[in-house]
Amino acid sequence: MSTYFSETQGSEQETVASLKDLLYRMPHPFREGDAVGVKLHWGERGNHSYLPPVYAREIVRWLQENGARPFVFDTTVLYSGGRRSGKDSLETAAEHGYTKDFLGCEVVIGDGLEGSDVVDIPCSLKHFPTVQAGAVVNRAEGFVIFSHFKGHLGAGFGGAIKNISMGFASRAQKQRMHADAYPSLMEKRCTRCGICVDVCPTGAARISDGEFPTYDLERCIGCAQCIGQCPVMALKIFFSGDSSVFQEKLVETAAAVWRRIDKKTVLINALVRITADCDCLPGKAEIISPDRGFIGGYHPVTVDRASLERVGEGLITGTHPHVPWQRQFTFAREIGFFPSGGGKLIHHK
Ligand code: SF4
Ligand code: SF4
């Protein structure tokens, strides 16, 4: 299973040429007429270091030239900002240039405009009996996982593993990864709409006419459906303090999603605009490395490992010294989320 590297030469135009070179050297599993989802992150509203859409357009063109029917997607997120609802997220995408006109294909929300178009994938590894992802995971014949490789506050680095994990996850699954997800109501915000009660799978959430909802923590399984689906964010999020557990949950979610998309997926990490933190944060993030180019491959662990080697593990550790990001790789091996065979790196300037 080979990994491909294409070095970038500097300007945006040359960087696009470098991506194009990579794409046309990589074998792919797509057939004529396949619907192929391009999973990417178009940046939070106010963020300045997201990948500009010229790269996604190049991937779309490559897929179209190969007879596929591409579409671009991301999923809704937990926090307030420009991507919490699908509608807001599409507006943010358009503000950042990710439009049908520019890309040449549809731009969609993988878990639906309300964040409720989701599926449960059996998992049963260490943390989750099931992993909940956007239904898009079942709605395409293939995927291109296009990830902006950079630092990340919670994960140390963000690349292909994180894009498959957090990137495909429903809002509830995102919350399950982030925390012990027991709800705590902020009455000032609550509109008493009852949605949290409707989505609660155990009957732990209850509401009486005109009253605020209550949550029976004896029955609550911490699934975070209520927190993820509350339209006004009236339920408080508890964050876990153990970062190693977060690394494991991140990888476990990626492993479950990967079971659905393995063999029909190409992964590309963009090692450009390498910032200390992720594109979820508004503002201008600090650039911590010169542009390196693009790494392509067929397993997220391999592609992220190759990206780390190219950027330098010391850079990530130095940027986020308290994050045990190495646990992602040891845990991946423990649960069998690892590519078979060694493979080789095919370099091209
Ligand atoms: S979904 Fe949110 S706003 Fe609606 S009742 Fe539950 S906590 Fe209140
Ligand atoms: S976390 Fe899950 S089980 Fe607990 S109250 Fe919310 S929806 Fe119900």
Side-chain angles (χ1 to χ4, degrees):
M1 200 186 283
S2 297
T3 308
Y4 294 78
F5 177 58
S6 191
E7 201 167 330
T8 186
Q9 299 295 318
S11 73
E12 187 171 277
Q13 200 179 12
E14 285 161 331
T15 307
V16 170
S18 166
L19 172 61
K20 196 169 176 178
D21 164 72
L22 181 95
L23 291 169
Y24 286 89
R25 284 190 292 126
M26 284 184 71
H28 64 79
F30 313 126
R31 296 159 304 183
E32 186 82 22
D34 278 358
V36 177
V38 181
K39 171 68 187 74
L40 47 72
H41 188 320
W42 43 68
E44 184 51 78
R45 183 169 287 149
N47 176 274
H48 297 292
S49 47
Y50 62 90
L51 290 176
V54 283
Y55 305 122
R57 182 172 67 177
E58 209 54 51
I59 293 170
V60 167
R61 285 177 177 166
W62 170 68
L63 288 166
Q64 287 169 337
E65 283 168 25
N66 281 288
R69 295 179 295 118
F71 63 94
V72 161
F73 73 97
D74 199 0
T75 53
T76 60
V77 300
L78 270 178
Y79 38 83
S80 57
R83 297 184 307 130
R84 161 116 180 135
S85 76
K87 184 173 165 289
D88 284 351
S89 194
L90 289 175
E91 282 172 16
T92 302
E95 285 164 17
H96 291 178
Y98 285 83
T99 61
K100 183 179 179 183
D101 279 354
F102 183 80
L103 298 171
C105 72
E106 297 290 342
V107 180
V108 304
I109 302 298
D111 55 340
L113 289 178
E114 306 302 328
S116 53
D117 188 16
V118 298
V119 293
D120 291 301
I121 305 173
C123 184
S124 298
L125 290 167
K126 180 175 176 183
H127 296 286
F128 305 121
T130 60
V131 153
Q132 194 179 71
V136 68
V137 73
N138 289 340
R139 300 223 175 106
E141 279 93 34
F143 291 94
V144 175
I145 308 299
F146 184 49
S147 310
H148 185 194
F149 189 84
K150 62 216 164 312
H152 186 273
L153 214 58
F157 68 93
I161 294 171
K162 189 161 176 303
N163 198 8
I164 291 173
S165 175
M166 214 49 95
F168 272 74
S170 68
R171 285 207 293 257
Q173 183 66 26
K174 286 179 170 95
Q175 174 59 30
R176 291 173 204 166
M177 279 186 274
H178 271 119
D180 293 328
Y182 298 104
S184 166
L185 185 68
M186 292 179 278
E187 291 187 353
K188 270 194 284 189
R189 288 193 184 179
C190 179
T191 61
R192 306 176 213 196
C193 68
I195 289 175
C196 54
V197 177
D198 294 343
V199 299
C200 177
T202 65
R206 294 185 204 138
I207 195 165
S208 308
D209 271 359
E211 301 291 323
F212 288 114
T214 56
Y215 307 92
D216 178 354
L217 297 190
E218 293 291 309
R219 301 177 76 170
C220 176
I221 55 171
C223 72
Q225 286 290 355
C226 54
I227 297 171
Q229 296 295 328
C230 173
V232 294
M233 298 182 74
L235 291 165
K236 199 170 172 188
I237 296 171
F238 292 110
F239 285 94
S240 160
D242 188 342
S243 190
S244 283
V245 172
F246 174 68
Q247 314 300 323
E248 292 177 3
K249 288 179 174 178
L250 193 70
V251 170
E252 186 163 324
T253 301
V257 171
W258 188 246
R259 287 177 184 169
R260 290 281 166 97
I261 68 173
D262 185 15
K263 310 272 186 261
K264 56 180 184 179
T265 295
V266 168
L267 302 109
I268 299 161
N269 277 7
L271 281 59
V272 297
R273 290 193 184 185
I274 303 166
T275 49
D277 287 312
C278 69
D279 301 337
C280 299
L281 302 173
K284 202 172 176 72
E286 179 199 358
I287 301 278
I288 56 171
S289 164
D291 290 352
R292 304 286 179 188
F294 297 89
I295 294 200
Y298 305 96
H299 195 289
V301 170
T302 316
V303 171
D304 277 356
R305 173 55 80 194
S307 301
L308 277 165
E309 283 167 10
R310 192 59 58 172
V311 167
E313 294 183 3
L315 183 74
I316 297 299
T317 304
T319 305
H320 296 292
H322 304 299
V323 177
W325 58 264
Q326 297 86 345
R327 182 64 186 136
Q328 292 184 42
F329 294 99
T330 54
F331 186 67
R333 196 172 276 284
E334 282 166 30
I335 63 173
F337 178 45
F338 234 75
S340 51
K344 59 179 177 176
L345 176 67
I346 302 175
H347 185 280
H348 204 261
K349 262 205 157 182

Short mmCIF file of all heavy atoms in Angstrom, two decimals, residues 299-339:
data_model
loop_
_atom_site.label_atom_id
_atom_site.label_comp_id
_atom_site.label_asym_id
_atom_site.label_seq_id
_atom_site.Cartn_x
_atom_site.Cartn_y
_atom_site.Cartn_z
N HIS A 299 -4.73 4.70 3.68
CA HIS A 299 -5.11 4.42 5.07
C HIS A 299 -4.79 5.66 5.90
O HIS A 299 -3.69 6.21 5.79
CB HIS A 299 -4.36 3.21 5.61
CG HIS A 299 -4.98 2.68 6.88
ND1 HIS A 299 -4.91 3.35 8.09
CD2 HIS A 299 -5.72 1.56 7.13
CE1 HIS A 299 -5.57 2.66 9.01
NE2 HIS A 299 -6.07 1.58 8.46
N PRO A 300 -5.74 6.10 6.74
CA PRO A 300 -5.52 7.34 7.49
C PRO A 300 -4.32 7.31 8.42
O PRO A 300 -3.63 8.33 8.59
CB PRO A 300 -6.83 7.53 8.28
CG PRO A 300 -7.55 6.23 8.19
CD PRO A 300 -7.08 5.53 6.96
N VAL A 301 -4.05 6.14 9.02
CA VAL A 301 -2.91 6.06 9.95
C VAL A 301 -1.60 6.25 9.18
O VAL A 301 -0.69 6.97 9.62
CB VAL A 301 -2.93 4.71 10.71
CG1 VAL A 301 -1.64 4.50 11.49
CG2 VAL A 301 -4.14 4.69 11.66
N THR A 302 -1.50 5.63 8.01
CA THR A 302 -0.29 5.75 7.20
C THR A 302 -0.09 7.19 6.72
O THR A 302 1.03 7.72 6.76
CB THR A 302 -0.41 4.86 5.95
OG1 THR A 302 -0.93 3.61 6.34
CG2 THR A 302 0.92 4.68 5.26
N VAL A 303 -1.16 7.79 6.26
CA VAL A 303 -1.06 9.14 5.70
C VAL A 303 -0.71 10.15 6.80
O VAL A 303 0.13 11.05 6.60
CB VAL A 303 -2.38 9.51 4.98
CG1 VAL A 303 -2.40 10.97 4.57
CG2 VAL A 303 -2.55 8.63 3.75
N ASP A 304 -1.30 9.99 7.98
CA ASP A 304 -0.95 10.90 9.09
C ASP A 304 0.47 10.65 9.57
O ASP A 304 1.20 11.61 9.89
CB ASP A 304 -1.94 10.73 10.25
CG ASP A 304 -3.21 11.54 10.02
OD1 ASP A 304 -3.28 12.28 9.02
OD2 ASP A 304 -4.13 11.44 10.86
N ARG A 305 0.87 9.40 9.64
CA ARG A 305 2.23 9.08 10.07
C ARG A 305 3.24 9.71 9.10
O ARG A 305 4.22 10.34 9.51
CB ARG A 305 2.38 7.55 10.16
CG ARG A 305 3.74 7.02 10.43
CD ARG A 305 4.40 7.58 11.66
NE ARG A 305 3.97 6.98 12.91
CZ ARG A 305 4.24 7.51 14.11
NH1 ARG A 305 4.90 8.65 14.19
NH2 ARG A 305 3.84 6.93 15.21
N ALA A 306 2.99 9.57 7.81
CA ALA A 306 3.90 10.14 6.80
C ALA A 306 3.90 11.67 6.88
O ALA A 306 4.96 12.31 6.70
CB ALA A 306 3.47 9.69 5.40
N SER A 307 2.76 12.26 7.19
CA SER A 307 2.68 13.72 7.32
C SER A 307 3.49 14.20 8.51
O SER A 307 4.21 15.21 8.44
CB SER A 307 1.22 14.16 7.47
OG SER A 307 0.46 13.74 6.37
N LEU A 308 3.38 13.47 9.64
CA LEU A 308 4.15 13.83 10.83
C LEU A 308 5.64 13.76 10.56
O LEU A 308 6.41 14.62 11.00
CB LEU A 308 3.79 12.88 11.98
CG LEU A 308 2.53 13.22 12.76
CD1 LEU A 308 2.09 12.03 13.60
CD2 LEU A 308 2.76 14.43 13.66
N GLU A 309 6.05 12.74 9.84
CA GLU A 309 7.48 12.60 9.53
C GLU A 309 7.95 13.77 8.67
O GLU A 309 9.05 14.28 8.84
CB GLU A 309 7.74 11.26 8.83
CG GLU A 309 7.73 10.09 9.80
CD GLU A 309 7.68 8.73 9.12
OE1 GLU A 309 7.85 8.68 7.87
OE2 GLU A 309 7.44 7.74 9.83
N ARG A 310 7.11 14.17 7.75
CA ARG A 310 7.48 15.24 6.82
C ARG A 310 7.56 16.59 7.55
O ARG A 310 8.47 17.37 7.33
CB ARG A 310 6.40 15.27 5.71
CG ARG A 310 6.67 16.09 4.51
CD ARG A 310 7.92 15.72 3.74
NE ARG A 310 8.00 14.36 3.25
CZ ARG A 310 8.97 13.94 2.43
NH1 ARG A 310 9.89 14.78 2.01
NH2 ARG A 310 9.02 12.68 2.04
N VAL A 311 6.62 16.83 8.45
CA VAL A 311 6.59 18.10 9.18
C VAL A 311 7.58 18.08 10.36
O VAL A 311 8.16 19.11 10.71
CB VAL A 311 5.14 18.37 9.70
CG1 VAL A 311 5.11 19.48 10.71
CG2 VAL A 311 4.25 18.70 8.53
N GLY A 312 7.78 16.91 10.92
CA GLY A 312 8.66 16.78 12.08
C GLY A 312 7.85 16.61 13.35
O GLY A 312 7.12 17.53 13.75
N GLU A 313 7.97 15.43 13.97
CA GLU A 313 7.19 15.16 15.18
C GLU A 313 7.49 16.17 16.28
O GLU A 313 6.63 16.54 17.07
CB GLU A 313 7.47 13.74 15.68
CG GLU A 313 6.98 12.68 14.71
CD GLU A 313 7.19 11.27 15.24
OE1 GLU A 313 7.67 11.14 16.39
OE2 GLU A 313 6.88 10.33 14.50
N GLY A 314 8.77 16.62 16.32
CA GLY A 314 9.19 17.57 17.36
C GLY A 314 8.42 18.87 17.28
O GLY A 314 8.17 19.52 18.31
N LEU A 315 8.04 19.24 16.08
CA LEU A 315 7.29 20.49 15.91
C LEU A 315 5.92 20.37 16.58
O LEU A 315 5.46 21.30 17.27
CB LEU A 315 7.12 20.79 14.42
CG LEU A 315 6.41 22.09 14.10
CD1 LEU A 315 7.33 23.27 14.35
CD2 LEU A 315 5.93 22.10 12.66
N ILE A 316 5.27 19.23 16.39
CA ILE A 316 3.94 19.03 16.98
C ILE A 316 4.06 18.94 18.50
O ILE A 316 3.30 19.57 19.24
CB ILE A 316 3.29 17.75 16.39
CG1 ILE A 316 3.08 17.89 14.88
CG2 ILE A 316 1.98 17.42 17.11
CD1 ILE A 316 2.16 19.01 14.45
N THR A 317 5.04 18.18 18.96
CA THR A 317 5.23 18.03 20.42
C THR A 317 5.59 19.38 21.05
O THR A 317 5.10 19.73 22.12
CB THR A 317 6.33 16.99 20.71
OG1 THR A 317 5.95 15.77 20.07
CG2 THR A 317 6.49 16.74 22.20
N GLY A 318 6.43 20.15 20.35
CA GLY A 318 6.82 21.45 20.88
C GLY A 318 5.65 22.43 20.90
O GLY A 318 5.56 23.28 21.79
N THR A 319 4.76 22.29 19.95
CA THR A 319 3.61 23.21 19.88
C THR A 319 2.54 22.86 20.91
O THR A 319 1.91 23.74 21.50
CB THR A 319 2.99 23.18 18.46
OG1 THR A 319 4.04 23.47 17.53
CG2 THR A 319 1.89 24.21 18.30
N HIS A 320 2.35 21.56 21.11
CA HIS A 320 1.33 21.11 22.09
C HIS A 320 1.97 20.10 23.05
O HIS A 320 1.70 18.89 22.97
CB HIS A 320 0.13 20.49 21.35
CG HIS A 320 -0.59 21.46 20.48
ND1 HIS A 320 -1.33 22.51 21.00
CD2 HIS A 320 -0.67 21.59 19.13
CE1 HIS A 320 -1.84 23.23 20.01
NE2 HIS A 320 -1.45 22.69 18.87
N PRO A 321 2.84 20.58 23.94
CA PRO A 321 3.65 19.67 24.76
C PRO A 321 2.85 18.80 25.73
O PRO A 321 3.34 17.77 26.17
CB PRO A 321 4.58 20.63 25.53
CG PRO A 321 3.94 21.97 25.46
CD PRO A 321 3.15 22.00 24.20
N HIS A 322 1.62 19.20 26.05
CA HIS A 322 0.88 18.42 27.05
C HIS A 322 -0.12 17.45 26.42
O HIS A 322 -0.90 16.80 27.11
CB HIS A 322 0.13 19.37 28.01
CG HIS A 322 1.06 20.35 28.66
ND1 HIS A 322 2.10 19.94 29.48
CD2 HIS A 322 1.15 21.70 28.57
CE1 HIS A 322 2.78 21.01 29.88
NE2 HIS A 322 2.23 22.09 29.34
N VAL A 323 -0.11 17.35 25.09
CA VAL A 323 -1.07 16.47 24.42
C VAL A 323 -0.38 15.14 24.06
O VAL A 323 0.60 15.13 23.31
CB VAL A 323 -1.60 17.13 23.13
CG1 VAL A 323 -2.55 16.18 22.41
CG2 VAL A 323 -2.32 18.44 23.46
N PRO A 324 -0.88 14.03 24.57
CA PRO A 324 -0.26 12.73 24.27
C PRO A 324 -0.72 12.18 22.92
O PRO A 324 -1.34 11.12 22.83
CB PRO A 324 -0.74 11.86 25.44
CG PRO A 324 -2.08 12.43 25.80
CD PRO A 324 -2.02 13.90 25.52
N TRP A 325 -0.42 12.90 21.84
CA TRP A 325 -0.92 12.52 20.52
C TRP A 325 -0.41 11.16 20.08
O TRP A 325 -1.03 10.48 19.26
CB TRP A 325 -0.56 13.59 19.48
CG TRP A 325 0.91 13.88 19.35
CD1 TRP A 325 1.59 14.87 19.97
CD2 TRP A 325 1.87 13.16 18.58
NE1 TRP A 325 2.94 14.81 19.62
CE2 TRP A 325 3.12 13.77 18.77
CE3 TRP A 325 1.80 12.04 17.73
CZ2 TRP A 325 4.29 13.31 18.16
CZ3 TRP A 325 2.96 11.58 17.11
CH2 TRP A 325 4.18 12.22 17.34
N GLN A 326 0.75 10.74 20.63
CA GLN A 326 1.31 9.43 20.25
C GLN A 326 0.33 8.29 20.57
O GLN A 326 0.36 7.24 19.95
CB GLN A 326 2.63 9.17 20.98
CG GLN A 326 3.74 10.14 20.64
CD GLN A 326 3.71 11.42 21.49
OE1 GLN A 326 2.72 11.72 22.15
NE2 GLN A 326 4.80 12.18 21.45
N ARG A 327 -0.57 8.54 21.55
CA ARG A 327 -1.55 7.52 21.94
C ARG A 327 -2.45 7.16 20.76
O ARG A 327 -2.97 6.04 20.70
CB ARG A 327 -2.38 8.04 23.13
CG ARG A 327 -3.40 7.05 23.66
CD ARG A 327 -2.74 5.80 24.24
NE ARG A 327 -3.67 4.76 24.62
CZ ARG A 327 -3.51 3.46 24.35
NH1 ARG A 327 -2.42 3.04 23.73
NH2 ARG A 327 -4.40 2.58 24.71
N GLN A 328 -2.63 8.07 19.82
CA GLN A 328 -3.45 7.76 18.64
C GLN A 328 -2.87 6.56 17.89
O GLN A 328 -3.59 5.68 17.44
CB GLN A 328 -3.52 8.96 17.70
CG GLN A 328 -4.31 10.13 18.27
CD GLN A 328 -4.43 11.26 17.27
OE1 GLN A 328 -4.67 11.04 16.09
NE2 GLN A 328 -4.29 12.49 17.74
N PHE A 329 -1.56 6.51 17.77
CA PHE A 329 -0.94 5.45 16.98
C PHE A 329 -0.85 4.14 17.77
O PHE A 329 -1.08 3.07 17.22
CB PHE A 329 0.44 5.90 16.49
CG PHE A 329 0.33 7.04 15.51
CD1 PHE A 329 0.51 8.34 15.91
CD2 PHE A 329 -0.04 6.80 14.19
CE1 PHE A 329 0.37 9.40 15.02
CE2 PHE A 329 -0.19 7.85 13.29
CZ PHE A 329 0.02 9.15 13.71
N THR A 330 -0.52 4.23 19.07
CA THR A 330 -0.44 2.98 19.85
C THR A 330 -1.84 2.37 19.98
O THR A 330 -2.01 1.16 19.87
CB THR A 330 0.17 3.22 21.25
OG1 THR A 330 -0.56 4.26 21.90
CG2 THR A 330 1.64 3.61 21.14
N PHE A 331 -2.84 3.23 20.16
CA PHE A 331 -4.20 2.72 20.30
C PHE A 331 -4.70 2.14 18.97
O PHE A 331 -5.36 1.10 18.94
CB PHE A 331 -5.14 3.83 20.79
CG PHE A 331 -6.53 3.34 21.10
CD1 PHE A 331 -6.75 2.47 22.16
CD2 PHE A 331 -7.62 3.74 20.34
CE1 PHE A 331 -8.03 2.01 22.45
CE2 PHE A 331 -8.90 3.28 20.61
CZ PHE A 331 -9.10 2.42 21.68
N ALA A 332 -4.36 2.82 17.88
CA ALA A 332 -4.77 2.31 16.56
C ALA A 332 -4.24 0.89 16.36
O ALA A 332 -4.95 -0.01 15.88
CB ALA A 332 -4.25 3.23 15.46
N ARG A 333 -3.00 0.67 16.77
CA ARG A 333 -2.42 -0.67 16.61
C ARG A 333 -3.14 -1.67 17.52
O ARG A 333 -3.44 -2.79 17.11
CB ARG A 333 -0.92 -0.63 16.91
CG ARG A 333 -0.19 -1.85 16.40
CD ARG A 333 1.31 -1.72 16.52
NE ARG A 333 1.94 -1.00 15.43
CZ ARG A 333 2.15 -1.49 14.22
NH1 ARG A 333 1.74 -2.72 13.92
NH2 ARG A 333 2.75 -0.78 13.29
N GLU A 334 -3.43 -1.25 18.75
CA GLU A 334 -4.10 -2.15 19.71
C GLU A 334 -5.46 -2.62 19.19
O GLU A 334 -5.87 -3.74 19.44
CB GLU A 334 -4.29 -1.43 21.05
CG GLU A 334 -3.03 -1.36 21.90
CD GLU A 334 -3.16 -0.36 23.05
OE1 GLU A 334 -4.28 -0.15 23.56
OE2 GLU A 334 -2.13 0.20 23.43
N ILE A 335 -6.16 -1.75 18.49
CA ILE A 335 -7.52 -2.13 18.04
C ILE A 335 -7.53 -2.62 16.59
O ILE A 335 -8.58 -2.85 16.00
CB ILE A 335 -8.53 -0.97 18.21
CG1 ILE A 335 -8.16 0.24 17.35
CG2 ILE A 335 -8.66 -0.59 19.68
CD1 ILE A 335 -9.20 1.34 17.35
N GLY A 336 -6.34 -2.78 16.01
CA GLY A 336 -6.26 -3.33 14.66
C GLY A 336 -6.60 -2.34 13.56
O GLY A 336 -6.89 -2.73 12.42
N PHE A 337 -6.57 -1.06 13.90
CA PHE A 337 -6.86 -0.02 12.90
C PHE A 337 -5.51 0.38 12.29
O PHE A 337 -4.97 1.44 12.58
CB PHE A 337 -7.55 1.15 13.61
CG PHE A 337 -7.87 2.33 12.73
CD1 PHE A 337 -8.44 2.17 11.48
CD2 PHE A 337 -7.66 3.62 13.20
CE1 PHE A 337 -8.76 3.26 10.69
CE2 PHE A 337 -7.98 4.73 12.42
CZ PHE A 337 -8.52 4.55 11.16
N PHE A 338 -5.00 -0.51 11.49
CA PHE A 338 -3.67 -0.31 10.93
C PHE A 338 -3.64 -0.95 9.55
O PHE A 338 -4.28 -1.97 9.33
CB PHE A 338 -2.62 -0.98 11.85
CG PHE A 338 -1.53 -0.04 12.26
CD1 PHE A 338 -1.77 0.94 13.21
CD2 PHE A 338 -0.27 -0.13 11.68
CE1 PHE A 338 -0.76 1.81 13.60
CE2 PHE A 338 0.73 0.75 12.06
CZ PHE A 338 0.49 1.72 13.02
N PRO A 339 -2.88 -0.38 8.63
CA PRO A 339 -2.83 -0.97 7.29
C PRO A 339 -2.02 -2.26 7.29
O PRO A 339 -1.08 -2.40 8.08
CB PRO A 339 -2.12 0.10 6.46
CG PRO A 339 -1.31 0.85 7.47
CD PRO A 339 -2.07 0.82 8.75
#
